[in-house]
Amino acid sequence: MKINEFKSILEKKGVDFAVFYNSDSTRVNPNMLYFSGYNGLGSLIIPIKQSPFLVVPEMEFERAKKSAIKKVYPMEKKKFFESIYKIIKKNRLRIGNIAVDKNNFTLNSYRYFRNQFKKIKIKDISKDCQKLREVKSKNEIKIITKACKYSDKMIQKAIKNFKIFKTESEAAAFLEYQTKKNGLELAFNPIVASGSHGSMPHHEPSSAKIKKGFCIIDFGVKYRGYLSDISRTIYIGNPGKREKEIYNFLSKIQRNAINQIKDNIKCSKLYNDVNDSLGKYKKNFIHGLGHGVGVEIHELPNLTLNSKDIIRNKMVFTIEPGIYFPKKFGIRIEDTVLFDKEIKVLTKTTKDLLIVN
């Protein structure tokens, strides 16, 4: 949770406390989850000189009491920010400078918040939270590793049963069912992109019949609040020589990119080296090389062209080169990896071209 490290950041910024909140039951505030283990409605307050506390609706009170935060207060009905303000006053916190994560404030909510906390300086700590979450703890690594094992197991089962699926939607529904069956949540909506649909990296599975040719499957699960991410490209039918060559070419580039990772290497260098290796296919590489994975599916570091990030110990991120041919097909191979003095691939599903007849 790194709360003490976070308090040091608050102290350097000259703020009295930080406020995180979530008023939408369909969403999770990643920083509330990260610092408290609680993912429901309410607010988390982290003072510099006191213990953190939660303010939650009565219906969430019992669940919040099971979080890592010992002090939990029920809020008044229909008085979200008023309740937070009163409990902050009750705890005798100095209300001078306040830190908030503006990435998780809607415009309306921020207006209501400012109406309650008037004439107070607000400092944004969204980037500080992202940087703090960039390096994982031993426990976080353990949880993400388990999430990757689950995703491996399920994607392998989906590929094994792939010939029984008639549509992309059926294949995606199978992955979702397996996730729920294991008591987990999806990290994101699964991508199943067959044939020409594969040329769109974020294609949404359709009810159309699965097309012959390459089919990209992009999938991940959420386990104890942490996520996994894996992509495999299979082939429906019988691939020709050129198709095998293109797949094996990308597979080799992906393996080489993983083997190149070392401490303090620039993420932009990793991206540029892959881009150069693609040669005549570099114009068909239309997204970043990878992204951090944690309580959100896209975290730091960013492995992109202009990234300022560098690889450090205990970072978890993806390596996912892809090549896409508009209206024809796409190929993407993605692993979640851990760098901890050396590289460790957390997603183990084979990267040999699997053929479904």
Side-chain angles (χ1 to χ4, degrees), residues 10 24 26 40 63 96 106 125 139 154 157 166 204 227 246 256 271 291 322 339:
L10 296 180
D24 184 350
T26 65
R63 185 158 72 102
T106 65
I125 37 86
N139 188 54
M154 293 174 205
K157 194 166 187 177
K166 294 180 180 178
E204 293 183 7
L227 311 176
I246 292 173
N256 289 343
Y271 172 89
H291 54 84
F339 182 74

Side-chain angles (χ1 to χ4, degrees), residues 128-168:
D128 300 279
C129 291
Q130 289 172 352
K131 292 298 290 183
L132 195 61
R133 284 164 32 201
E134 188 176 37
V135 173
K136 272 42 179 189
S137 68
K138 185 177 180 180
N139 188 54
E140 286 178 293
I141 290 168
K142 184 178 178 181
I143 294 170
I144 295 171
T145 301
K146 188 66 181 284
C148 289
K149 286 181 180 178
Y150 274 118
S151 59
D152 268 328
K153 177 183 174 182
M154 293 174 205
I155 201 170
Q156 288 167 20
K157 194 166 187 177
I159 293 170
K160 185 179 179 181
N161 289 278
F162 208 85
K163 61 184 176 183
I164 71 173
F165 306 135
K166 294 180 180 178
T167 66
E168 295 170 348

Side-chain angles (χ1 to χ4, degrees), residues 4 18 22 60 66 96 126 145 161 163 189 224 252 257 265 270 299 301 307:
N4 287 335
N22 181 27
E60 298 278 25
K66 294 179 180 179
S126 55
T145 301
N161 289 278
K163 61 184 176 183
N189 290 330
R224 290 177 57 185
K252 183 178 179 181
I265 192 169
L270 290 170
E299 296 195 343
S307 176

Side-chain angles (χ1 to χ4, degrees), residues 3 7 10 16-18 45-53 93:
I3 284 181
K7 285 185 175 184
L10 296 180
D16 303 305
F17 56 87
I45 290 85
I46 303 181
I48 285 181
K49 296 181 180 179
Q50 294 183 27
S51 299
F53 56 89
L93 296 184

